[in-house]
Amino acid sequence: MNNEYIQVIHSLLMKYEHKDDAVKMKKYMRNQFEFFGLRAPQRKELVKFLIKKYGMPPEEHFNEIVYELWELPERDYQSIALELMDRKIKHFKEKDVELLEYLIIHKSWWDTVDWIASKHIGAYFVQYPQNKKDITRKWIGSGNIWLQRTAIIFQLKYKKQTDEELLYSYINQCLGSEEFFIDKAIGWSLREYSKTNPQSVRNFVDKTPLSKLSKREALKVMKKNKCVFLKN
């Protein structure tokens, strides 16, 4: 841990450490990661204090610090890295997609991937829309379930700006995957888009051989709202 900024983060994590919660968190995450045991409010408090006292990482070292945080064993380091990324959202550089892709495919699990996809990737393509199709097409065809999941869910917060054709195309390309995280992503993306265009989602669900999980997730909001639809 050569970087002074990361040493400060380590010292703060040690102060917040809660071993009983760390055990529970490790179990919840299927024993894939170690933890210091910080809950989200504590982590946010830590990051707020960190930035207030030490500032954000210097721009010229920002990516280096994120990469190093990603290599450390405790999951709290990756979460803090993403908290710092949150504060950079409005200032992404075009090449930052390389960093984001790295974070998606290393130490991959739903907690970090969904955070990156819905917040960072979603914001990145708003700033650099010219890159959206080429990059996400590469991801959907990559065979990596986490890149595929990202390509399916990065538009979660787009609402009326959702590229419907792109979303449906990517879902169709992933049909029959029998991968839980893909089926769940399909249902999640459709459920969110149904809040904006329920008729379109209903039509898509009716004509598409979705898995039971995807279909159930896709229809949740519409069933709750008892939507009435036009016949195709």
Side-chain angles (χ1 to χ4, degrees):
M1 216 178 296
N2 297 322
N3 189 290
E4 290 183 8
Y5 198 88
I6 293 177
Q7 289 177 351
V8 170
I9 292 172
H10 175 74
S11 297
L12 290 171
L13 282 170
M14 292 296 291
K15 291 180 180 179
Y16 280 87
E17 186 177 22
H18 194 291
K19 293 183 179 180
D20 288 342
D21 283 345
V23 171
K24 294 175 185 176
M25 291 174 180
K26 182 177 179 180
K27 184 177 180 181
Y28 178 69
M29 297 296 279
R30 300 185 183 179
N31 299 314
Q32 295 191 84
F33 311 104
E34 299 296 330
F35 287 86
F36 282 98
L38 275 74
R39 298 184 180 275
Q42 293 175 309
R43 186 183 69 239
K44 292 181 183 301
E45 181 181 317
L46 183 158
V47 172
K48 185 177 180 180
F49 173 81
L50 173 72
I51 294 172
K52 183 177 180 179
K53 186 167 183 178
Y54 299 95
M56 284 285 285
E59 179 63 30
E60 63 271 23
H61 298 300
F62 186 94
N63 287 10
E64 173 191 337
I65 288 171
V66 171
Y67 280 123
E68 189 166 342
L69 287 169
W70 219 255
E71 295 308 309
L72 295 171
E74 289 83 5
R75 197 57 162 174
D76 313 78
Y77 287 115
Q78 285 90 66
S79 296
I80 289 172
L82 296 184
E83 293 274 6
L84 294 173
M85 292 289 290
D86 283 355
R87 290 156 174 81
K88 196 186 180 187
I89 282 177
K90 294 181 180 179
H91 307 286
F92 280 142
K93 297 176 181 177
E94 191 167 6
K95 66 179 181 179
D96 282 337
V97 72
E98 296 172 9
L99 169 63
L100 294 169
E101 182 174 311
Y102 179 91
L103 303 183
I104 292 167
I105 63 178
H106 290 83
K107 294 197 173 179
S108 309
W109 200 239
W110 60 265
D111 59 328
T112 54
V113 171
D114 293 357
W115 189 339
I116 296 163
S118 62
K119 294 187 75 171
H120 306 146
I121 295 296
Y124 175 86
F125 287 131
V126 169
Q127 294 173 56
Y128 302 102
Q130 70 275 14
N131 296 336
K132 179 176 67 177
K133 290 186 178 180
D134 286 345
I135 291 173
T136 56
R137 280 172 181 164
K138 181 188 74 171
W139 290 349
I140 208 70
S142 68
N144 181 295
I145 66 167
W146 301 109
L147 290 175
Q148 291 173 328
R149 183 174 170 95
T150 299
I152 293 169
I153 68 173
F154 79 90
Q155 299 188 84
L156 284 177
K157 298 180 181 179
Y158 280 21
K159 299 181 180 179
K160 291 183 179 180
Q161 279 67 53
T162 298
D163 186 330
E164 179 183 291
E165 182 180 355
L166 196 69
L167 173 62
Y168 292 166
S169 171
Y170 289 169
I171 290 173
N172 277 318
Q173 290 180 59
C174 291
L175 293 177
S177 73
E178 298 183 354
E179 168 54 58
F180 171 82
F181 288 107
I182 296 299
D183 286 347
K184 190 78 171 181
I186 290 171
W188 187 14
S189 63
L190 291 172
R191 185 176 75 240
E192 284 303 303
Y193 188 45
S194 77
K195 298 174 185 178
T196 298
N197 195 339
Q199 182 71 59
S200 175
V201 172
R202 177 78 254 191
N203 292 344
F204 180 76
V205 170
D206 286 346
K207 68 182 182 182
T208 307
L210 299 172
S211 70
K212 291 181 179 179
L213 172 60
S214 297
K215 186 173 182 178
R216 182 172 66 249
E217 291 293 320
L219 298 177
K220 271 185 178 179
V221 170
M222 291 184 283
K223 285 185 175 181
K224 181 180 178 180
N225 294 338
K226 298 179 180 179
C227 295
V228 177
F229 300 100
L230 299 172
K231 292 184 178 180
N232 291 328

